[in-house]
Amino acid sequence: MTGTHTLPAEAVRAATETGQERLRALLPALTDEGVREPSELPGWTRAHVLSHVEGVGLALARQARYALRGELIEPYDGGRPARAAAIEAGARRDAAALGDAVRAALAEASAAWAAAGPADWSRPVRHRNGDLRSALLAWWRELEIHTADARIGHAPRDWPRELCHHLLDHLSSRIPEELPLVLTATDDAFSRRYGDAGAPAVTVSGPLTDLAAWLAGRTPHRPPDCRRSGAPVPPPELLAWP
């Protein structure tokens, strides 16, 4: 397994570019009727999800632009209320306007992240008080997860394996400390135990993409197999996103 702590920022940037190209290729199929259909996220249409991708892509690209100048700026002018209002307003656009806006945001993201060099990844950013590399990882997560959320032809079962490993690492804080849990991929070397090593654990097993989808709160292609002491049990409840 390649841990995200060792995945070079340049490799993350290349993976993000691949994800952006994938989304660009899916946009021409959008229709005015289709963007009003439900997404994977409760209460949001496809248009809401794509409007959010546009906004978060621009926000994180702005983090990169300012960081490279040695400056800090909030991801969104006006904070979360302004972010929510922009998503609602953007979701009212027709398919052509929405597609054009997402393409423009992806172009800005590509240009902003391409400007970063090997010595830049530790530059501080305001986003979660992290650095440029952590902001790039956030964009990778947002891009891949929400492309799947939009239900436009890319699902969690299509997520790259490197992304799945990153999600299983990044989202491990969703596992309650008091829950002895073992996650085991049936198609990968990934296996990890959490919680009290001496207590009977719930074992959640399945393909790597299904484990990542489950931990991310998304619908796996097939529900993971959950057992305690060999007997089937319901999937355990997870904590909020980090």
Side-chain angles (χ1 to χ4, degrees), residues 4-189:
T4 57
H5 59 285
T6 60
L7 193 62
E10 287 77 9
V12 178
R13 179 167 55 191
T16 303
E17 276 296 319
T18 299
Q20 292 178 176
E21 286 300 323
R22 183 187 305 111
L23 178 53
R24 285 189 188 98
L26 295 170
L27 293 175
L30 293 176
T31 65
D32 289 341
E33 297 78 16
V35 297
R36 307 293 163 225
E37 293 177 358
S39 73
E40 183 74 13
L41 300 179
W44 271 16
T45 64
R46 288 189 176 111
H48 283 91
V49 172
L50 292 171
S51 183
H52 174 50
V53 170
E54 173 201 3
V56 74
L58 291 174
L60 290 170
R62 183 165 83 155
Q63 295 292 286
R65 295 287 196 194
Y66 274 75
L68 292 175
R69 299 204 295 259
E71 300 177 36
L72 298 174
I73 192 170
E74 293 297 329
Y76 294 92
D77 290 330
R80 295 187 71 85
R83 168 182 174 259
I87 291 170
E88 287 296 332
R92 292 195 286 269
R93 292 172 291 191
D94 61 23
L98 188 61
D100 286 346
V102 174
R103 276 185 284 269
L106 295 177
E108 167 57 13
S110 291
W113 290 110
D120 294 319
W121 298 114
S122 60
R123 288 177 179 266
V125 297
R126 189 75 76 196
H127 180 263
R128 297 194 174 193
N129 294 316
D131 57 20
L132 204 55
R133 182 177 182 275
S134 70
L136 176 62
L137 283 165
W139 172 227
W140 191 28
R141 292 191 300 272
E142 294 280 341
L143 174 68
E144 292 283 359
I145 290 173
H146 291 315
T147 298
D149 287 339
R151 295 177 175 169
I152 56 175
H154 182 70
R157 68 176 179 271
D158 303 313
W159 284 344
R161 304 189 80 76
E162 294 84 0
L163 175 76
C164 292
H165 283 299
H166 169 58
L167 293 176
L168 289 166
D169 182 25
H170 179 72
L171 298 175
S172 62
S173 61
R174 300 195 70 201
I175 300 169
E177 288 185 11
E178 68 275 11
L179 174 67
L181 180 73
V182 175
L183 291 180
T184 300
T186 55
D187 61 348
D188 190 89

